[in-house]
């Protein structure tokens, strides 16, 4: 396998990993009420309330809030539908760098900027909304872990770009 082919394969693997995680994250925002009921049942079955009472209290509080919103104000959950949709739309944007990484490196850089932006958002909006700090740390981890494959993909794209700039290598059309 040539250097160019190996780089392209590595870039695509990292982009697919990022897109799969983005799609899963988005898709799970649609059925929040049902997911939280299932999560609460699972945590009780695993005896989590005895070991991590603060986590269980938070899950119960969020579930009660979602139940109330679903029963009395279901239009509020429409916001999470839009959140899910945004994840899916952003995932589609990564088809460009999958197809032509050098030309579409800006999409990868945009994703990296978005990952970095998660941290201040969680640190500012979390406390404003009464989110426990430990939960904000979980939210921030999406940005921290999300940027890793994107950073590596960008590094590989730059190497691919330098190979393509070499006159002995015929650039792909």
């Amino acid at each position: 396998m040539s250097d160019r082919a190996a780089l392209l394969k590595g870039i695509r693997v990292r982009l697919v990993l990022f897109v799969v995680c983005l799609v899963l994250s988005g898709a799970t925002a649609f059925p929040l009420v049902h997911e939280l009921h299932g999560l609460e049942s699972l945590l009780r079955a695993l005896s989590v309330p005895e070991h991590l009472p603060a986590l269980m209290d938070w899950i119960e509080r969020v579930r009660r809030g979602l139940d109330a919103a679903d029963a009395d104000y279901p239009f509020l959950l429409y916001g999470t539908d839009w959140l899910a949709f945004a994840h899916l739309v952003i995932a589609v944007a990564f088809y460009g760098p999958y197809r032509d990484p050098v030309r579409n490196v800006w999409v990868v850089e945009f994703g990296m900027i978005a990952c970095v932006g998660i941290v201040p958002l969680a640190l500012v909006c979390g406390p404003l909304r009464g989110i426990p700090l430990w939960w904000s740390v979980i939210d921030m981890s999406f940005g921290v872990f999300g940027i890793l494959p994107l950073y590596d993909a960008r590094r590989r794209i730059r190497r691919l770009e330098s190979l393509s700039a070499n006159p002995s290598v015929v650039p792909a059309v």
Side-chain angles (χ1 to χ4, degrees), residues 6 8 13 17 22 33 43 53 58 60 69 72 82 86 93 101 114-115 120 126 138 141-142 144 147-148 150 173:
L8 193 56
V13 165
L17 171 68
L22 196 57
V33 175
L43 292 177
W58 175 249
E60 289 171 355
D72 299 330
W82 278 102
C115 287
I138 292 171
S141 73
F142 283 91
V144 172
I147 202 169
L148 296 175
L150 293 180
V173 179

Side-chain angles (χ1 to χ4, degrees), residues 32-41 44 55-71 77:
L32 281 179
V33 175
H34 303 292
E35 284 177 340
L36 226 31
H37 280 271
L39 177 62
E40 186 177 16
S41 296
R44 288 190 189 290
L55 172 64
M56 202 62 207
D57 290 344
W58 175 249
I59 297 297
E60 289 171 355
R61 181 174 183 214
V62 172
R63 194 250 325 131
R64 284 192 310 272
L66 283 173
D67 283 345
D70 191 36
L77 298 177

Side-chain angles (χ1 to χ4, degrees), residues 119-133 136-137 139-140:
V119 175
L121 177 81
L123 289 173
V124 171
C125 294
L128 290 175
R129 302 290 186 206
I131 307 297
L133 178 62
S136 292
V137 170
D139 288 341
M140 287 184 279

Side-chain angles (χ1 to χ4, degrees), residues 12-30 35 83-92 94 111 115 118 139 141-150:
R12 288 179 171 165
V13 165
R14 282 146 185 83
L15 293 176
V16 167
L17 171 68
F18 183 79
V19 166
V20 166
C21 291
L22 196 57
V23 167
L24 290 174
S25 179
T28 59
F30 285 115
E35 284 177 340
L83 171 69
F85 178 71
H87 278 75
L88 301 177
V89 169
I90 293 167
V92 169
F94 281 87
C115 287
I118 290 171
D139 288 341
S141 73
F142 283 91
V144 172
F145 291 115
I147 202 169
L148 296 175
L150 293 180

Side-chain angles (χ1 to χ4, degrees), residues 63-118:
R63 194 250 325 131
R64 284 192 310 272
L66 283 173
D67 283 345
D70 191 36
D72 299 330
Y73 311 103
F75 52 86
L76 291 175
L77 298 177
Y78 188 53
T80 61
D81 296 338
W82 278 102
L83 171 69
F85 178 71
H87 278 75
L88 301 177
V89 169
I90 293 167
V92 169
F94 281 87
Y95 177 68
Y98 182 88
R99 200 180 83 234
D100 187 346
V102 173
R103 193 158 134 200
N104 294 294
V105 68
W106 69 270
V107 176
V108 175
E109 292 167 343
F110 165 79
M112 292 170 65
I113 292 166
C115 287
V116 168
I118 290 171

